[in-house]
Amino acid sequence: DAKTTQPTSMDCAEGRAANLPCNHSTISGNEYVYWYRQIHSQGPQYIIHGLKNNETNEMASLIITEDRKSSTLILPHATLRDTAVYYCIVRATFMYSGGGADGLTFGKGTHLIIQP
Amino acid sequence: DGGITQSPKYLFRKEGQNVTLSCEQNLNHDAMYWYRQDPGQGLRLIYYSQIVNDFQKGDIAEGYSVSREKKESFPLTVTSAQKNPTAFYLCASSPRSGEAPRGTGELFFGEGSRLTVL
């Protein structure tokens, strides 16, 4: 079960790109990097995931280093509504893990605060 | 709309009482999970179930019990044996590999149930 390390908190100005780092130096070859965010007192929301290629969707971009030991979540134009706790987790797919509990623990994440 | 519904949203109970939190999903997901979140902390896994009539303990199962009699339902009982039950409880589900439109292993969460023991 790969562990991740994230900064406790970050600030970003509204309208700027928010870059959230995550270290996962013990990631295995079959483990994906997933990002979720949790707005206060709500359930976490899926943002994006990737294996080794960079990924982009309507919410964010995910940049994974070539050695896969770290990644960065990029919110291109942060708004006040992006203020939340962002979690980076690594886990194998349901198929590879046999549906087990690996990678299902969420650490404290990064509290991103968007400043007006 | 498809999703996960948790109820009740807020619950108060007296010390020594058991309480059951409901979690229902209409996403046709095989796997379901229960998490506990304390203030300023991450999510800790209580129990998970990969398939009907089967479930496994997570990291902090003591004082909790679950059942999985139907695919769409995974209720959590907080028993009187749980020493510090006041917390925010989150239920999640996930599809098997290849069945999710956006990817595999993605977790879908409910809105949570906040339990306070008086």
Side-chain angles (χ1 to χ4, degrees):
Chain A
D1 183 15
K3 304 296 184 187
T4 63
T5 305
Q6 299 178 253
T8 302
S9 66
M10 292 181 64
D11 287 351
C12 179
E14 189 178 16
R16 298 289 191 129
N19 297 278
L20 292 90
C22 180
N23 287 322
H24 32 78
S25 58
T26 60
I27 191 170
S28 300
N30 66 347
E31 288 182 317
Y32 286 70
V33 180
Y34 285 84
W35 282 85
Y36 292 80
R37 74 178 183 185
Q38 185 179 25
I39 296 170
H40 183 62
S41 294
Q42 296 183 19
Q45 174 192 22
Y46 165 87
I47 301 173
I48 199 167
H49 77 284
L51 184 62
K52 55 183 178 180
N53 296 324
N54 297 339
E55 301 287 343
T56 295
N57 63 21
E58 64 276 8
M59 289 181 69
S61 295
L62 174 61
I63 308 298
I64 303 174
T65 58
E66 195 169 338
D67 63 6
R68 301 211 322 125
K69 293 186 177 182
S70 66
S71 61
T72 301
L73 178 74
I74 301 172
L75 307 179
H77 304 288
T79 70
L80 297 178
R81 288 179 295 179
D82 291 322
T83 291
V85 177
Y86 287 76
Y87 299 100
C88 167
I89 66 172
V90 293
R91 67 173 301 209
T93 64
F94 190 98
M95 177 176 69
Y96 286 110
S97 71
D102 285 351
L104 287 172
T105 296
F106 289 57
K108 294 184 181 181
T110 297
H111 187 194
L112 176 66
I113 300 171
I114 306 302
Q115 304 282 1
Chain B
D1 284 350
I4 299 181
T5 302
Q6 290 187 240
S7 63
K9 194 173 176 71
Y10 299 95
L11 184 62
F12 298 87
R13 79 151 211 225
K14 293 182 180 178
E15 209 168 323
Q17 289 180 334
N18 291 357
V19 63
T20 297
L21 307 180
S22 169
C23 179
E24 303 277 333
Q25 55 100 357
N26 59 5
L27 300 167
N28 199 34
H29 287 171
D30 285 295
M32 297 186 74
Y33 313 83
W34 272 107
Y35 288 89
R36 170 184 172 134
Q37 187 173 34
D38 293 286
Q41 303 297 311
L43 281 65
R44 292 184 290 169
L45 186 65
I46 305 173
Y47 268 99
Y48 65 102
S49 167
Q50 300 173 41
I51 199 166
V52 174
N53 292 322
D54 183 66
F55 49 82
Q56 307 295 328
K57 292 182 179 180
D59 300 320
I60 54 165
E62 186 175 350
Y64 299 98
S65 66
V66 293
S67 63
R68 187 84 189 279
E69 297 176 2
K70 298 185 296 183
K71 187 176 184 178
E72 59 270 22
S73 179
F74 192 40
L76 173 75
T77 297
V78 184
T79 75
S80 56
Q82 169 50 234
K83 292 184 172 59
N84 297 298
T86 293
F88 188 47
Y89 291 89
L90 286 156
C91 180
S93 69
S94 70
R96 285 189 178 273
S97 174
E99 292 178 358
R102 288 187 293 188
T104 55
E106 178 185 335
L107 295 169
F108 293 76
F109 283 87
E111 288 302 304
S113 293
R114 190 169 298 279
L115 172 64
T116 302
V117 174
L118 304 172

